Amino acid sequence: MVLVTGGTGLVGAHLVLHLIENGENVRAIYRNLESIQKTKDLFLLYKKENLFEKIDWIQADVIDVPSLEIAFENVEYVYHCAALISFNPKDEDLLRKINIEGTANIVNFCVAKAVKKLCFVSSIAALGDLKENEKIITEEAEWNPEKPHSDYAISKYGAEMEIWRGQQEGLNSVIINPGVILGPTIWEQGSGILFKRIEKGFPFYTKGMTGFIAVTDVVKIAVELMKSDLINERFTLIAQNMVFRDLFNSIADALNVKRPAIYASPLLIEIFWRIDWFLSIIFRWKRKLNPATAKSSYSKNLYSNEKIKKTLGTEFIDIHTYIKEISSLRS
């Protein structure tokens, strides 16, 4: 039996579908019935609704230990995809609880139940920091606690420390660090928000840069690593390092809408997040921009995918091609 946490999220739902298509017995955990519908909708999107009933759903939560006791019965392999993704400073405690404490619980059960192997879906946010003479971030980059990191990045790095603890206790595991994951999903969540905003005429672009990857590549690589003899390794997963302007233009072209035409300079973005903060206090609405997301929009970070390419011979889906593919699913 294979257990997938976060089976109602973008990666988890695609992973569950991939595993079932390949004949695996899959158990997935969910917190409420509404969240299951997201996964069902994804199966329908791919016209694989006949496979949905093969999922063994268990109501559980990574921070609820008694519920995990049931979820881990007869489980041999675990894909830990569940996580909170938020850059809202108000979510700091919740990020630590779900991402760090939740991962600790998963590791403890894997050790106690003698699970054969665990795959943890981390993030490039948890990778280390560049030194003065370095230009590209690899798996070997060292985390510098003196440098500023978002609460999300800190929580994912803390989660990785729990995985490393499990390794010391005899748990076989692999860590994957995907870049920004693109894929068809509920369009009000994750990368889907970006597609929705650009479709509605979002006017701004930036010249920041980061790594991107298709969700199908993330899933394929995770499964390949789990079926391999590799243990206690981490792998950066990005298909391409892309400037945000190029990404936005590609999405706009795929959706047949106007490209964002106004350059949002770092100074302008710094002004925007401060205005957003002020208005959120006055009108009590959820912030759309904060210091962490503001900085990431104009930071230029290059990530290396050489390790996974050399290890598995991976060939990634071209991001521009994939954007066209998932944009066609919106119609």
Side-chain angles (χ1 to χ4, degrees):
M1 177 68 73
V2 177
L3 174 64
V4 177
T5 72
T8 59
L10 176 62
V11 175
H14 279 84
L15 177 59
V16 167
L17 175 57
H18 180 88
L19 291 170
I20 290 177
E21 283 183 308
N22 287 274
E24 298 282 359
N25 293 320
V26 180
R27 178 177 296 155
I29 65 174
Y30 72 96
R31 287 186 293 173
N32 54 63
L33 291 175
E34 182 182 345
S35 63
I36 289 182
Q37 187 62 42
K38 299 174 187 176
T39 303
K40 189 173 185 178
D41 290 342
L42 190 74
F43 276 58
L44 288 169
L45 187 67
Y46 287 115
K47 296 179 172 56
K48 303 285 185 179
E49 57 268 30
N50 60 308
L51 299 178
F52 180 78
E53 300 303 324
K54 293 187 177 183
I55 306 171
D56 178 22
W57 288 105
I58 298 288
Q59 188 168 16
D61 194 312
V62 295
I63 57 176
D64 179 14
V65 172
S67 68
L68 291 176
E69 185 71 45
I70 300 171
F72 267 84
E73 288 182 4
N74 302 316
V75 167
E76 293 181 298
Y77 298 92
V78 176
Y79 292 87
H80 181 33
C81 308
L84 174 63
I85 301 175
S86 174
F87 296 93
N88 188 334
K90 293 182 179 180
D91 289 335
E92 178 183 359
D93 291 340
L94 193 58
L95 280 164
R96 291 176 182 270
K97 188 167 187 65
I98 294 175
N99 295 352
I100 300 178
E101 182 182 322
T103 301
N105 290 337
I106 295 299
V107 168
N108 292 340
F109 272 100
C110 285
V111 173
K113 301 291 185 178
V115 165
K116 293 180 180 179
K117 198 169 182 180
L118 165 69
C119 176
F120 174 54
V121 182
S122 185
S123 167
I124 54 172
L127 293 174
D129 302 287
L130 290 176
K131 293 180 180 178
E132 207 168 300
N133 59 340
E134 296 175 332
K135 295 182 179 180
I136 188 163
I137 300 172
T138 71
E139 295 83 354
E140 303 304 317
E142 294 183 9
W143 179 275
N144 185 349
E146 300 300 320
K147 289 194 174 183
H149 300 93
S150 68
D151 292 327
Y152 171 69
I154 293 169
S155 73
K156 294 300 282 187
Y157 179 72
E160 287 195 16
M161 293 181 70
E162 293 297 335
I163 302 295
W164 299 333
R165 171 182 63 82
Q167 293 173 4
Q168 296 300 313
E169 296 177 15
L171 174 62
N172 293 331
S173 64
V174 289
I175 298 173
I176 56 175
N177 297 80
V180 178
I181 302 172
L182 301 176
T185 181
I186 305 301
W187 299 106
E188 288 74 21
Q189 297 178 356
S191 59
I193 296 174
L194 185 56
F195 282 76
K196 188 174 181 180
R197 287 181 178 173
I198 291 176
E199 187 176 42
K200 288 186 174 182
F202 186 72
F204 300 103
Y205 70 86
T206 72
K207 296 180 181 179
M209 175 186 290
T210 192
F212 295 87
I213 185 170
V215 66
T216 47
D217 275 341
V218 175
V219 166
K220 181 184 71 173
I221 294 168
V223 172
E224 285 184 34
L225 288 172
M226 282 287 271
K227 291 185 177 296
S228 74
D229 294 329
L230 293 163
I231 59 170
N232 304 345
E233 296 272 4
R234 72 201 293 231
F235 297 89
T236 302
L237 306 188
I238 64 117
Q240 291 159 251
N241 292 293
M242 290 181 64
V243 176
F244 287 114
R245 181 182 188 178
D246 295 339
L247 179 78
F248 292 1
N249 287 345
S250 186
I251 293 174
D253 292 347
L255 296 174
N256 293 314
V257 298
K258 186 178 180 181
R259 290 180 171 188
I262 302 174
Y263 172 50
S265 67
L267 176 60
L268 187 60
I269 292 171
E270 291 294 322
I271 294 171
F272 278 171
W273 81 252
R274 286 172 170 82
I275 293 174
D276 184 58
W277 167 78
F278 179 74
L279 294 177
S280 70
I281 294 175
I282 300 298
F283 297 105
R284 299 182 180 274
W285 64 35
K286 186 175 181 180
R287 291 174 64 178
K288 299 178 180 64
L289 199 60
N290 57 62
T293 52
K295 183 180 178 182
S296 66
S297 70
Y298 58 77
S299 296
K300 295 183 178 181
N301 296 315
L302 288 170
Y303 297 91
S304 171
N305 59 11
E306 286 303 309
K307 182 177 180 180
I308 193 65
K309 287 169 68 175
K310 289 179 180 178
T311 302
L312 296 181
T314 301
E315 293 184 5
F316 292 94
I317 298 171
D318 175 75
I319 292 300
H320 297 290
T321 301
Y322 190 62
I323 286 172
K324 291 179 183 178
E325 180 182 326
I326 60 179
S327 295
S328 67
L329 294 173
R330 287 177 57 81
S331 57

